[in-house]
Amino acid sequence: MSDRSLFGDRFTVRCAVAVEDAAQAEDAAPGPRTMGAVLAEYGKTVQPMSYFPNVRLASGALALPEDLNDVKLLRDHDRARVVGAMTEARGMDAAPFGRFRFARTADADDAYSLVEDRIITHVSVGYRIIDGRQVVEDEENVFEVTAAEIFEVSLLGQPADTAARIESVTAQKGPAVNAPAPAPAAVPDPTPEVPPATLTDAQLTAVMDQVRAQLAPAQAAPVAAPAHLGDSPAPRLLDRDGNPIVVRAADRFDPRVPAATGRDGRRITPGDYFAAYAAGVNEGDWTRHNEIRAALADELTSDVPGLLPAPIVGELLGRASGRRPLWSSLTPRDMPMQGEKFSRPRITQHVQVAPQTGQKKEVASRKYTAVLDEVGKTTLAGALDVAQQAIDWTSPSLLNELIIDFTRIYIARTDAAAAAALVAAATAGAVTVEWDGTTETLTGVLAQAAGLVYAGADPEMDVFPNSVWLSVDMWVKLASLVDGDGRPLLPSLGPTNAPGTINLGNPESGVGGSPFRWIVSKHLAAGTMIMGDSTYAESYENGRRFLQAVRPDVLGLDIAYMGYTATYFPYPKTLVRITAAAPTPPPEGAAARSGGKS
């Protein structure tokens, strides 16, 4: 057993020689070839090409089938390109590692060469999600997989998880396993073999003349082959049984022989073409070859427009963004899968703590009560019946585009549902602050709304005004506010002395440099501005997945995307609506009085 390290110690090529000396080792055919690789890194957030933009594997999430051979080694997640199978696995609870055996196919040979030469250095795990949950980190949605079963591992040049590296590759040499069987020994011919006569140039010319004469048109004068060429008799063309080969002109019109029809209407077979080509190479007579080339009809791209696909440059336009700022601003909670509804406990009465009126006097006592609020689930889903031809004949692939579109439209629909639920809860709370739309009163209105949020729940609770949800037109209204000198109140260029800033290129960023978190959503109705505590605005989601059913009777594929969602606002009075009137225009000359101040 000899080891050699390539590009450092992380990658090792091992070669086990099962012969006695080096000379035999060189002649030995390659036997089983294996590869060892780290499958994934738990706890790391990656961005795979999947339904979820951000995915993380929880510790110990990956499991294996009972038979490791069911875990196939693929190329680029293509199930039609199986190049091996798993033979060993370890460390699935903390650091999953697998070893794979390469198949004895041409595709597997290519894959093994790419791995051995360090062209492909990473793998990517394909798994079926059994359980998972949505979490929010740094204002980004992350789908955490808590349980999954591996069914394939793919060789990739650029994987999502760079920690999934190929650590070693082993090539064992020994007796050839799939070497071709040796050719059987020739059976001796009982009849004595007469060595064929060697053709001279003159004799070869005479044979070619005879072939051309028999292939020529019927009206052409036949060319008789000479009986003798020089001092030697003219050799005969014999088949394997010793019978003379006779070229018949009728063979030229055998319908079983493929042929082309030239401009002159004559059929041109492959034999015609190669015989003419041989005459040109051997004798320098290119006459017939040039005639055939001239007789062939021209085939232009304009003659077959339907066979030339039109190139498509870039991605499709009009895709949904896949963002949901309002839904992401809510506090995510786990949704149970069972039941049409689920219960959320809410405290209705706290215990009491008060001063004792005197020694030996009874202290305050009040029982603790809670209720279960029912939260109903909403099923968001969509389906489509797709023809198999539409899947096979489109580029970019229609099926891939449908998967992307279903996922992103579902995400946008959850944001719209959350917006409607937020407005409904704030309306039920019936707490409103009016704003005249001017710069001078904005701070006072925000302070008034913040005070109402802080005092809107039980005095024993801590509710803080940390978020402001507003529609696009309200964001525009804030961006348009100017101070008494006509300067923008929230400038987009962000001078250091501004009370806040607005990024005109990204409405979803809200207002910068503010004590509140500003959430702008195009799904909120015009004139909407709500202040509240996002801690007590909850979102639930479960069951996001694709469903499909094949319809062989019509060559169709039914696909659907679905998910269960819910929102919960337990304290509507802490959601304060701010209604704004049209702002009064600044007095004339206000801009001139600014004097170029910054």
Side-chain angles (χ1 to χ4, degrees):
M1 175 79 70
S2 62
D3 293 346
R4 61 185 178 90
S5 179
L6 294 179
F7 306 101
D9 297 332
R10 288 186 59 86
F11 184 82
T12 304
V13 176
R14 299 183 178 90
C15 181
V17 181
V19 292
E20 295 180 357
D21 51 46
Q24 289 177 328
E26 293 180 359
D27 297 334
R33 301 161 298 178
T34 63
M35 175 196 77
V38 176
L39 302 182
E41 180 180 350
Y42 290 141
K44 180 180 181 181
T45 301
V46 298
Q47 292 75 38
M49 299 266 314
S50 69
Y51 311 140
F52 308 107
N54 301 296
V55 177
R56 180 176 62 214
L57 288 170
S59 181
L62 293 179
L64 294 167
E66 294 183 3
D67 188 355
L68 290 182
N69 193 64
D70 291 339
V71 181
K72 305 303 182 185
L73 184 64
L74 308 181
R75 287 292 305 275
D76 303 314
H77 294 294
D78 187 348
R79 299 190 185 187
R81 301 184 67 186
V82 179
V83 297
M86 178 179 282
T87 58
E88 177 188 349
R90 65 175 183 266
M92 300 306 294
D93 293 335
F97 180 89
R99 185 164 295 280
F100 302 85
R101 180 186 73 255
F102 283 88
R104 299 166 184 164
T105 63
D107 203 7
D109 293 343
D110 293 341
Y112 177 81
S113 299
L114 292 173
V115 172
E116 186 181 33
D117 294 341
R118 302 291 288 153
I119 306 301
I120 291 181
T121 57
H122 294 81
V123 297
S124 177
V125 179
Y127 50 83
R128 300 181 183 91
I129 298 176
I130 299 174
D131 197 9
R133 60 179 181 175
Q134 287 277 4
V135 297
V136 177
E137 294 181 354
D138 299 330
E139 300 185 4
E140 290 287 339
N141 284 332
V142 177
F143 186 80
E144 185 177 56
V145 179
T146 57
E149 183 180 83
I150 301 176
F151 66 91
E152 62 94 353
V153 175
S154 287
L155 299 172
L156 284 183
Q158 295 180 336
D161 185 1
T162 55
R165 297 183 58 88
I166 299 174
E167 296 288 350
S168 63
V169 60
T170 302
Q172 296 179 348
K173 287 188 176 181
V177 178
N178 60 340
V187 179
D189 193 344
T191 59
E193 181 177 355
V194 179
T198 302
L199 294 178
T200 64
D201 291 341
Q203 292 171 333
L204 179 61
T205 301
V207 171
M208 294 302 301
D209 289 341
Q210 183 181 15
V211 172
R212 283 197 297 272
Q214 296 186 25
L215 291 179
Q219 62 271 20
V223 179
H228 292 82
L229 292 173
D231 298 330
S232 302
R236 295 183 300 166
L237 298 179
L238 306 177
D239 60 16
R240 60 186 301 175
D241 296 327
N243 300 318
I245 298 176
V246 179
V247 181
R248 298 184 301 273
D251 290 344
R252 225 174 144 246
F253 303 98
D254 191 335
R256 296 171 297 179
V257 178
T261 302
R263 290 190 179 94
D264 55 1
R266 294 170 56 188
R267 297 176 77 253
I268 304 171
T269 66
D272 295 336
Y273 182 87
F274 288 116
Y277 183 81
V281 172
N282 295 324
E283 305 172 33
D285 182 7
W286 295 96
T287 304
R288 179 57 181 157
H289 185 266
N290 293 333
E291 291 176 357
I292 293 177
R293 293 192 60 186
L296 295 178
D298 296 328
E299 188 71 37
L300 306 178
T301 57
S302 58
D303 299 323
V304 286
L307 300 182
L308 301 176
I312 298 177
V313 181
E315 295 185 351
L316 289 173
L317 300 177
R319 281 180 172 173
S321 66
R323 297 191 301 270
R324 46 180 181 181
L326 198 147
W327 179 277
S328 300
S329 69
L330 308 183
T331 301
R333 304 287 186 190
D334 292 335
M335 174 192 285
M337 180 60 76
Q338 294 76 20
E340 180 182 357
K341 301 178 181 179
F342 59 94
S343 298
R344 187 75 169 92
R346 177 172 54 87
I347 301 172
T348 56
Q349 182 172 283
H350 294 269
V351 298
Q352 188 176 19
V353 177
Q356 187 180 20
T357 58
Q359 296 183 17
K360 291 293 191 175
K361 299 294 184 181
E362 290 185 359
V363 298
S365 177
R366 185 171 60 192
K367 65 180 180 179
Y368 175 94
T369 60
V371 296
L372 293 177
D373 292 339
E374 283 191 346
V375 181
K377 297 180 181 179
T378 299
T379 302
L380 297 178
L384 201 62
D385 185 5
V386 188
Q388 188 64 42
Q389 291 87 343
I391 297 174
D392 295 338
W393 295 349
T394 51
S395 177
S397 172
L398 175 62
L399 185 59
N400 182 63
E401 293 301 323
L402 290 177
I403 290 174
I404 295 174
D405 209 42
F406 265 121
T407 305
R408 294 186 175 181
I409 295 301
Y410 167 89
I411 290 174
R413 188 64 186 85
T414 59
D415 203 62
L422 174 67
V423 172
T427 303
V431 181
T432 305
V433 174
E434 295 184 357
W435 175 39
D436 61 7
T438 64
T439 304
E440 292 78 10
T441 60
L442 177 60
T443 301
V445 168
L446 293 177
Q448 183 183 359
L452 292 172
V453 172
Y454 185 67
D458 192 304
E460 313 297 337
M461 293 176 54
D462 289 329
V463 180
F464 293 97
N466 55 25
S467 301
V468 179
W469 296 274
L470 65 160
S471 56
V472 176
D473 67 306
M474 295 299 288
W475 175 82
V476 173
K477 184 183 291 290
L478 291 177
S480 304
L481 293 177
V482 295
D483 61 14
D485 293 326
R487 297 174 302 183
L489 178 67
L490 303 172
S492 61
L493 300 180
T496 57
N497 60 347
T501 60
I502 277 186
N503 181 1
L504 297 180
N506 183 12
E508 291 181 6
S509 63
V511 177
S514 169
F516 308 110
R517 179 186 178 189
W518 298 79
I519 301 99
V520 181
S521 175
K522 63 181 69 176
H523 297 112
L524 288 170
T528 301
M529 188 173 183
I530 301 172
M531 181 182 292
D533 189 344
S534 61
T535 306
Y536 296 101
E538 300 179 350
S539 63
Y540 299 82
E541 188 175 26
N542 203 338
R544 284 180 59 179
R545 60 187 183 274
F546 268 98
L547 304 175
Q548 67 178 27
V550 178
R551 299 184 58 193
D553 57 330
V554 294
L555 294 181
L557 178 67
D558 291 347
I559 61 173
Y561 189 73
M562 64 166 295
Y564 305 120
T565 65
T567 53
Y568 177 53
F569 303 93
Y571 304 105
K573 290 186 178 181
T574 62
L575 299 173
V576 179
R577 292 183 300 163
I578 301 175
T579 60
T584 303
E588 296 183 2
R593 292 197 302 270
S594 65
K597 295 180 182 179
S598 60

